[in-house]
Amino acid sequence: MAVSMNRRKPKSSKNSETKQHCSCSAFLFKILSRIPLGILLLILVYLWSSSSTIISGKIVHICVSSRKLSNLYCLSAGTQPNFEIPIPLTNNSFTRNIENIDASPSTNSSVTDDKEIVNALSSSTISNIKEDVDIFRKDSIRTEIDGADKNRNEEIAIAKKAVKEQLQLHRSWMSSTNHASCEGRGVYVYDLPSKFNKDLIGQCEDMMPWTNFCEYFNNDALGEPLASLGKGWYHTHQYSLEPIFHSRILSHPCRVYNESEAKLFYVPYYGGLDILRWHFKNVSVDVKDTLAMDLMKWLERRKPWVQNSGSDHVFVLGKISWDFRRRSYTSWGTRFLELEQMQNPIKLLIERQPWEVNDIAIPHPTFFHPHSDDDIVAWQQKIIGTTRKSLVSFAGAERPNQPESIRSVLISQCTSTSSDRCQFLDCKSGGCNQPETVTELFMDSEFCLQPPGDSPTRKSVFDSLVSGCIPVLFDPFTAYYQYPWHLPEDHRKYSVFIDQEEVRRMKVDVVGRLSGISARERDEMRRFIVYELLPGLVYGDASSRFEKFQDAFSISVNTLLERVRRMR
């Protein structure tokens, strides 16, 4: 048994406090009136001897040892305390001995003494005490759960505030002008040994057990052309960001070949491909970390890295941040971003860790890679004039192994209505592997549902935006807390937000709510998406040249250069 008391008073009304106080007093009196004074004193001694008081911040935890747990248990947090408690455990408690009263005699003298005390009570008294203790335990746990929910909500609010402050910092690095001059803005690209990049692409045939990646690395990692969708469309894999970015920066107009002329240093390590090859192979964590550790050794012999401890260096990683932050309790991923040497550099990823200030998310690669301003304008004109026959669409699959997922609810709501109101493309059947099918679905829809998948972000968010389909988001971490350089702070301009908790509790008809958004509002959002956002969400091909627009690559590099300029 465990009891925890929090010294902070809940913010409840006086009447509520008085009522609770009276209820507790009556309950305690009910128990105490049944126990002789001598026995009561002995009970208190045993309870005290098996408990420990721990102060953590402003909370006083009273932790009691239990026969069912291997260490102290404090209900103040609803679980074991998240700090080490350097207090030895006791081997018995009064509650344990009540539960074990009919057990065979123990050779432990303290247990025998406990049983003698308990035997002094009548069986009816013991039964009543156990009943009252059970009631008290349930009431205590319920109170603790309510308190934990309140504390959790407060912690979430504080965490979100911290994330928003980081995003403000990231946005402050952006320049309002598209620099035409490269003076004082040199970019140096390390010529790494091939094992850190090109050799990884060479392993494309067996990178994943069910997919041959080789075709995705054609055309500077854009994949095979998609003639049916028009010029600039390719079958690009969602994990191809690293070689795509590398190809572009090699031909950047501000690239310099002398380290002393550089302000920004790009490290072309394909860390996402490095870990992708190990995801489904039975290898040790040491093997998974080998290449990253070799890279650190290589960089530590370079003067620019040592000079500023890597703060003017940038890595581009084509997988989510969590894949590079392996914890001790799992073998998934690497520890690359947990290394001490990796705390100063900027890391550009398709999904950031929201509380890491040097993690910055940039768009997932889509299927559209324009070569020129004209390619962008031609696509804008096409999708702004498209007739959209469906109100809503969802391309995805259920997550039966994720109880918190709202996908099943969304699929049920979508399929229970007419096809002109909601279309569902089941990715489980393989339909989502065809870029043409997904793009045509989004071009045919006013709104595209974008619930979280295996992680908060989705490549599909960017596919829908590039198709002129208004994304419907259910978690702010899917986009709002991720892409400060490429998406505006006012998310109402380009998306609709519906809290996933409302969906989970069946409190909202998503299709019905979206049908209440007027045609004028939809048109305003779509025009903002197509004319303001779209150019900055796509990555041009390796030889692309833009004068009127900045694509996702240009925005990223220009902002990095502005950050380094301000640092110096």
Side-chain angles (χ1 to χ4, degrees), residues 405-429:
S405 176
I406 62 171
R407 290 183 169 216
S408 297
V409 179
L410 295 176
I411 292 170
S412 176
Q413 290 189 9
C414 182
T415 55
S416 63
T417 188
S418 59
S419 60
D420 63 328
R421 282 172 60 81
C422 191
Q423 291 191 68
F424 170 53
L425 176 62
D426 191 353
C427 292
K428 189 168 56 178
S429 62

Side-chain angles (χ1 to χ4, degrees), residues 379-558:
W379 182 250
Q380 288 174 323
Q381 292 174 343
K382 180 175 182 177
I383 59 173
I384 203 67
T386 299
T387 300
R388 298 179 185 267
K389 300 173 184 176
S390 294
L391 176 68
V392 187
S393 67
F394 175 43
E398 292 181 326
R399 291 289 191 272
N401 297 325
Q402 298 178 14
E404 293 297 304
S405 176
I406 62 171
R407 290 183 169 216
S408 297
V409 179
L410 295 176
I411 292 170
S412 176
Q413 290 189 9
C414 182
T415 55
S416 63
T417 188
S418 59
S419 60
D420 63 328
R421 282 172 60 81
C422 191
Q423 291 191 68
F424 170 53
L425 176 62
D426 191 353
C427 292
K428 189 168 56 178
S429 62
C432 298
N433 296 332
Q434 304 302 318
E436 299 94 338
T437 303
V438 175
T439 303
E440 288 168 4
L441 175 70
F442 290 168
M443 288 178 64
D444 200 36
S445 308
E446 297 274 6
F447 298 99
C448 293
L449 305 182
Q450 303 293 350
D454 297 323
S455 71
T457 65
R458 292 192 81 199
K459 174 184 180 291
S460 181
V461 171
F462 295 97
D463 290 333
S464 67
L465 287 168
V466 169
S467 302
C469 186
I470 301 165
V472 182
L473 305 182
F474 303 88
D475 184 339
F477 288 95
T478 298
Y480 307 153
Y481 297 163
Q482 291 287 342
Y483 308 99
W485 300 344
H486 300 83
L487 294 176
E489 186 174 4
D490 186 357
H491 56 78
R492 295 170 299 180
K493 291 183 176 181
Y494 67 90
S495 69
V496 175
F497 180 75
I498 299 175
D499 195 323
Q500 61 183 335
E501 198 59 34
E502 290 186 44
V503 179
R504 191 176 293 119
R505 296 180 180 180
M506 310 288 192
K507 289 185 176 181
V508 60
D509 173 7
V510 173
V511 177
R513 180 174 292 186
L514 295 173
S515 66
I517 299 176
S518 69
R520 182 183 61 80
E521 290 176 287
R522 294 180 221 160
D523 185 61
E524 286 179 358
M525 280 192 277
R526 181 165 297 106
R527 293 183 70 83
F528 182 82
I529 290 169
V530 172
Y531 293 119
E532 300 295 330
L533 291 187
L534 189 154
L537 301 179
V538 297
Y539 295 91
D541 64 34
S543 60
S544 58
R545 289 289 182 270
F546 302 106
E547 308 233 352
K548 179 179 178 181
F549 301 111
Q550 286 194 81
D551 71 341
F553 169 83
S554 299
I555 291 172
S556 300
V557 174
N558 284 336

Side-chain angles (χ1 to χ4, degrees), residues 347-363:
K347 285 80 67 175
L348 305 184
L349 310 104
I350 56 175
E351 178 180 312
R352 69 184 293 256
Q353 207 275 38
W355 294 278
E356 291 290 339
V357 70
N358 287 335
D359 273 19
I360 299 174
I362 60 176

